Amino acid sequence: MDDREIIELFNRRSERALDECRARYGSYLRRVALNITGSERDAEECEADVYLAAWEAIPPEKPRSLRAWLARCARNTALGKLEHDTAVKRGRGEAEAVLEELSECVPAPGSVGERLDADELARSIDAFLIEQDARTRRVFVQRCFECDAVPDIARQNGMTEQAVRSLLHRTRRKLRAYLESEELI
């Protein structure tokens, strides 16, 4: 079943939509949450929270990409849980590392909120990523959105860890320059 059909099930308020989401995206959502929380139990809780969020939001929400929408929910849920439980100290620490890396090119949330709408920043980052080659986009999303560890990204993309680090460094530098040219930072 494809995303469009699953969204239609949500629109009809069919509980089958949840089963289809679980079957299609369950392991992916758990991995995103696990990379952030470092705990299988917390990742499973986050996954369940994502399904509840989807049930409550669709409709009226109409995600263009159900996978991306669910992943964003999983990421936000896991980050909230991490902050609440201070799990960075107990977990793998990937979320903390990613946030530190991104601080090179994106200002802290407080200053962003004062100067521009978060949606505008997200649109600009999307526009920047569209201009990048497929491998750069994939590696950047794996690290900065899914919070995958560098060794995992290297293995999945047939690269060395150093090549991944270099690619991420260059991409963050380009992103910073892009955001500066757009006068967003």
Side-chain angles (χ1 to χ4, degrees), residues 16-185:
R16 184 169 165 226
L18 300 173
D19 295 333
E20 294 295 334
C21 276
R22 198 172 287 111
R24 185 169 174 121
Y25 297 116
S27 61
Y28 172 65
L29 299 175
R30 276 189 308 280
R31 181 176 58 86
V32 169
L34 179 62
N35 286 343
I36 295 169
T37 65
S39 162
E40 289 282 347
R41 192 172 126 225
D42 288 346
E44 289 173 8
E45 285 180 33
C46 289
E47 179 191 0
D49 290 346
V50 168
Y51 300 135
L52 177 61
W55 184 257
E56 291 175 346
I58 306 171
E61 188 77 31
K62 297 174 186 168
R64 283 187 291 175
S65 166
L66 184 61
R67 181 180 194 268
W69 190 90
L70 291 170
R72 186 180 71 226
C73 287
R75 182 177 187 270
N76 291 342
T77 300
L79 286 170
K81 183 150 198 54
L82 181 72
E83 183 178 328
H84 180 267
D85 297 345
T86 60
V88 169
K89 294 176 185 169
R90 297 187 321 261
R92 289 174 46 192
E94 291 304 325
E96 182 177 74
V98 168
L99 292 174
E100 185 176 320
E101 291 166 7
L102 282 176
S103 70
E104 297 173 13
C105 56
V106 179
S111 60
V112 171
E114 294 169 8
R115 293 188 53 217
L116 78 136
D117 181 44
D119 288 340
E120 184 179 353
L121 180 62
R123 281 190 298 275
S124 294
I125 293 172
D126 286 345
F128 167 79
L129 288 173
I130 287 169
E131 295 175 1
Q132 306 308 305
D133 63 81
R135 184 178 73 166
T136 299
R137 269 194 313 272
R138 185 175 50 252
V139 167
F140 188 83
V141 167
Q142 285 178 303
R143 181 65 177 161
C144 298
F145 186 76
E146 297 171 359
C147 297
D148 283 349
V150 170
D152 295 337
I153 296 169
R155 189 183 71 259
Q156 292 168 11
N157 290 282
M159 300 170 68
T160 66
E161 290 180 34
Q162 185 55 43
V164 169
R165 285 187 187 92
S166 294
L167 179 64
L168 288 168
H169 177 75
R170 285 191 311 273
T171 305
R172 287 190 305 268
R173 196 174 61 228
K174 284 192 230 174
L175 175 58
R176 180 170 184 81
Y178 178 84
L179 293 174
E180 286 173 348
S181 75
E182 297 288 311
E183 298 181 353
L184 296 175
I185 59 170

Side-chain angles (χ1 to χ4, degrees), residues 6-17:
I6 295 172
I7 291 170
E8 182 55 35
L9 289 173
F10 275 112
N11 287 332
R12 287 189 270 142
R13 307 308 292 160
S14 170
E15 291 184 24
R16 184 169 165 226

